């Protein structure tokens, strides 16, 4: 099982940049996908973006060109680099993970299963507690 912990959330001004981290202190896996979700007060949880164990990324339209997800596989940390922050980026940011316990599945087969459902919270079996980002003008 993954054990995910987010950090880096803070208050920022519009136009600022911020980097969030999601550290896995649980088991490591060869094939997996990690994602960032966010939930603003009174709103539904929204998928922000994801990255798989081979480095392929996917982003929500609302953050494309502003947010970048990367991963340090040695440290088992996923990052969310956020630039040009806007007030509507204010939310609790949560990371989530799903993994393949067996190493026999190819990354291509993994992606064929994962990519159509990357934005659905029910896809993931590991969740962090979240880190708050507040953006003001």
């Amino acid at each position: 099982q993954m054990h995910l912990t987010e950090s880096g959330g803070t208050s920022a001004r519009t136009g600022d940049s911020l980097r969030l981290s999601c550290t896995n202190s649980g088991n490591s896996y060869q094939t997996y996908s990690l994602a960032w979700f966010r939930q603003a007060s009174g709103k539904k949880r929204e998928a922000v973006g994801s990255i798989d164990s081979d480095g392929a990324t996917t982003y929500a339209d609302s953050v494309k060109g502003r947010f970048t997800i990367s991963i340090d596989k040695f440290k088992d940390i996923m990052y969310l680099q956020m630039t040009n922050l806007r007030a509507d980026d204010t939310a609790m940011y949560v990371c989530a993970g799903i993994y393949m316990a067996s190493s026999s599945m190819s990354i291509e087969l993994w992606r064929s299963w994962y990519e159509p459902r990357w934005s659905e919270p029910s896809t993931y079996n590991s969740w962090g507690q979240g880190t708050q980002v507040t953006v003001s003008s």
Side-chain angles (χ1 to χ4, degrees), residues 4-90:
L4 305 175
T5 305
E6 304 89 341
S7 61
T10 188
S11 297
R13 297 293 185 105
T14 53
D16 281 356
S17 297
L18 198 59
R19 189 177 78 165
L20 305 183
S21 300
C22 170
T23 301
N24 176 29
S25 58
N27 295 328
S28 296
Y29 299 92
Q30 182 174 332
T31 304
Y32 59 86
S33 291
L34 296 169
W36 286 99
F37 286 78
R38 66 185 181 184
Q39 187 163 18
S41 180
K43 294 190 176 181
K44 286 177 59 175
R45 184 170 289 187
E46 172 192 23
V48 174
S50 72
I51 188 166
D52 70 23
S53 45
D54 213 35
T57 53
T58 304
Y59 298 96
D61 288 343
S62 58
V63 304
K64 273 181 187 175
R66 298 190 302 123
F67 290 10
T68 303
I69 295 174
S70 61
I71 194 161
D72 184 327
K73 298 177 81 170
F74 180 75
K75 295 181 180 178
D76 228 347
I77 301 176
M78 173 178 63
Y79 300 102
L80 177 64
Q81 179 69 49
M82 304 185 290
T83 63
N84 194 20
L85 283 166
R86 310 186 308 215
D88 61 359
D89 293 319
T90 295

Side-chain angles (χ1 to χ4, degrees), residues 96-114:
I98 178 69
Y99 55 87
M100 172 54 59
S102 164
S103 62
S104 62
M105 180 180 283
S106 69
I107 190 65
E108 291 80 14
L109 188 59
W110 175 259
R111 286 175 181 164
S112 69
W113 171 82
Y114 174 73

Side-chain angles (χ1 to χ4, degrees), residues 1-4 29 34 95-99 123-128:
Q1 185 81 3
M2 290 179 170
H3 185 256
L4 305 175
Y29 299 92
L34 296 169
C95 63
I98 178 69
Y99 55 87
T123 298
Y124 303 90
N125 59 9
S126 301
W127 290 86

